[in-house]
C-alpha cells in the first residue's frame, strides 16, 4: 500500500503544538495516520479511508483535496490553532503563520506596542556603532560611515518581523529567563540592537491554548531555553512558568483571546 506524507496548517499535535506529519493512503483501502516526531507518537485519525484512483495525480485532484480537508476539519478542536491576534491565524479556511503588523496590533489591542528603541548605549555621548566619543553637535554617530554600518546591521540585514523585534528591544536583547546577552556585538565590541542568531520570542500562553500576540504574553528567550521549555526540561519550565504566572495575574485579559 502506498502512503503519501505531508503537513497541513490544520493539524497540530495537541500535546506539544508541533505540526503533524500526515499519512493518507492512495488506495481505496487502509486508514489515515498522523505522526508527531517530537512526542514520538503515531495514531489513526479514527475516520474511514479516502478513496480515489491510486496514483499521485489522483491524490492531488480537487475531489481528493476536498476529502482530505473533510478529514482534517473533523479533528477535535485541540488539534487546531484558533487564537485571534496570534502568530498562526485563520484567514477564511486557511491558516497562515505570521506576526501581527504594528497596525494590526493597535487595532486588536487598542494600545501601542513596545517602542523599538535602537539605543543600547551605556554612555549617551558615545557613537552607537564604534563607541568613540561624539564631537560637536553629533548625537548618535561620529561619522556617516558609522551611521550607514549601523543601519545595515539593524534594518537591512534584520530578519525579525516588526513585533518580535520590538519585544526584543523592550527586553534590551537579554533573555528573560537566564539574563544571557542576545544582542549582536560588532567588531568594536559595541552591543547593537540586532539578534546574535540565538534569540527567540516566546508566547507565555501558547498559541494553541489561545495565547495572543500582546506584549504581556511575549518574552525574549535564548533559542536553547525556548527549545528546552517546549521539551519540558525542568529548569526551563520552572523559570518560564514563574514569569507566566506573574503576567497572568496582571494581564490575563490581554494574554488570552
Amino acid at each position: 500500500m502506498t502512503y503519501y506524507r505531508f503537513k497541513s496548517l490544520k493539524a497540530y499535535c495537541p500535546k506539544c503544538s508541533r505540526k503533524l506529519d500526515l499519512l493518507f493512503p492512495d488506495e481505496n483501502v487502509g486508514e489515515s495516520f498522523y505522526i508527531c516526531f517530537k512526542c514520538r507518537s503515531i495514531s489513526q485519525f479514527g475516520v474511514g479511508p479516502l478513496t480515489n484512483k491510486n496514483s499521485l495525480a489522483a491524490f492531488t485532484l480537487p475531489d481528493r483535496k476536498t476529502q482530505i480537508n473533510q478529514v482534517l476539519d473533523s479533528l477535535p478542536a485541540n488539534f487546531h490553532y484558533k487564537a485571534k491576534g496570534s502568530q498562526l491565524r485563520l484567514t477564511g479556511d486557511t491558516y497562515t503563520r505570521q506576526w501581527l503588523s504594528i497596525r494590526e496590533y493597535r487595532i486588536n489591542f487598542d494600545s501601542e506596542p513596545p517602542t523599538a528603541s535602537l539605543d543600547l548605549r551605556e554612555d549617551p555621548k558615545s557613537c552607537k556603532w564604534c563607541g568613540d566619543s561624539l564631537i560637536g553637535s553629533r548625537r548618535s554617530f561620529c561619522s556617516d560611515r558609522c551611521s550607514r554600518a549601523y543601519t545595515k546591521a539593524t534594518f537591512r540585514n534584520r530578519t525579525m518581523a516588526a513585533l518580535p523585534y520590538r519585544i526584543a528591544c523592550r527586553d534590551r536583547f537579554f533573555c528573560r529567563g537566564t539574563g544571557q546577552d542576545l544582542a549582536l556585538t560588532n567588531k568594536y565590541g559595541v552591543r547593537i540592537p540586532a539578534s546574535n542568531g540565538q534569540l527567540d520570542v516566546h508566547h507565555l500562553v501558547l498559541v494553541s491554548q489561545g495565547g495572543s500576540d500582546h506584549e504581556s504574553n511575549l518574552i525574549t528567550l535564548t533559542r536553547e531555553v525556548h527549545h528546552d521549555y517546549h521539551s519540558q526540561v525542568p529548569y526551563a519550565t520552572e523559570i518560564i512558568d514563574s514569569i507566566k504566572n506573574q503576567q497572568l495575574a496582571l494581564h490575563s485579559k490581554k494574554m488570552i483571546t
Side-chain angles (χ1 to χ4, degrees):
M1 181 182 298
T2 301
Y3 278 86
Y4 293 109
R5 173 181 162 189
F6 63 98
K7 296 177 184 289
S8 170
L9 288 170
K10 292 185 176 182
Y12 284 76
C13 177
K15 292 183 179 180
C16 70
S17 302
R18 182 189 177 109
K19 191 184 296 183
L20 295 170
D21 283 72
L22 312 177
L23 289 87
F24 283 93
D26 195 48
E27 301 178 4
N28 57 3
V29 294
E31 297 290 341
S32 304
F33 295 87
Y34 64 83
I35 301 174
C36 178
F37 285 98
K38 184 173 181 180
C39 292
R40 297 185 178 182
S41 60
I42 181 170
S43 183
Q44 293 182 353
F45 278 123
V47 296
L50 304 179
T51 60
N52 211 314
K53 296 179 181 179
N54 51 352
S55 69
L56 183 58
F59 188 76
T60 58
L61 287 175
D63 289 346
R64 192 56 180 253
K65 289 182 178 179
T66 299
Q67 290 175 309
I68 293 173
N69 282 327
Q70 288 174 348
V71 172
L72 297 176
D73 290 340
S74 70
L75 293 176
N78 59 345
F79 281 81
H80 296 263
Y81 284 89
K82 296 183 181 295
K84 177 184 176 184
S86 64
Q87 186 180 5
L88 191 65
R89 289 179 288 157
L90 181 62
T91 305
D93 295 326
T94 305
Y95 285 87
T96 57
R97 183 177 292 278
Q98 63 187 86
W99 289 92
L100 291 180
S101 68
I102 301 304
R103 177 178 178 275
E104 290 171 327
Y105 184 99
R106 293 181 180 123
I107 294 172
N108 271 275
F109 302 115
D110 193 27
S111 62
E112 289 291 320
T115 302
S117 173
L118 301 179
D119 193 348
L120 299 182
R121 294 176 296 179
E122 294 183 2
D123 180 3
K125 295 182 180 180
S126 63
C127 176
K128 288 184 178 181
W129 180 252
C130 71
D132 286 350
S133 298
L134 299 175
I135 301 174
S137 61
R138 289 187 175 272
R139 294 292 179 266
S140 297
F141 304 99
C142 65
S143 67
D144 291 342
R145 183 174 62 181
C146 284
S147 177
R148 288 192 295 270
Y150 186 88
T151 299
K152 183 177 180 180
T154 58
F155 287 100
R156 296 181 202 165
N157 293 344
R158 193 177 82 199
T159 57
M160 299 174 66
L163 181 56
Y165 182 72
R166 291 196 178 205
I167 297 300
C169 287
R170 179 201 67 187
D171 295 335
R172 298 189 65 78
F173 287 83
F174 286 107
C175 174
R176 290 278 297 277
T178 64
Q180 183 175 332
D181 188 354
L182 300 172
L184 176 68
T185 301
N186 67 11
K187 63 182 180 180
Y188 299 103
V190 177
R191 296 180 74 237
I192 305 300
S195 170
N196 64 0
Q198 299 301 315
L199 185 152
D200 280 343
V201 173
H202 169 69
H203 290 80
L204 292 170
V205 178
L206 301 181
V207 176
S208 59
Q209 299 170 355
S212 77
D213 274 358
H214 189 263
E215 66 161 311
S216 60
N217 194 43
L218 301 173
I219 59 171
T220 303
L221 294 175
T222 68
R223 192 154 292 171
E224 180 180 6
V225 172
H226 194 197
H227 175 271
D228 287 348
Y229 177 79
H230 286 286
S231 298
Q232 296 296 298
V233 178
Y235 87 91
T237 57
E238 181 178 350
I239 292 172
I240 297 175
D241 283 347
S242 175
I243 298 173
K244 174 182 174 181
N245 292 334
Q246 292 173 15
Q247 289 293 92
L248 281 172
L250 299 172
H251 308 289
S252 61
K253 291 183 179 179
K254 294 288 187 179
M255 294 172 66
I256 303 174
T257 58

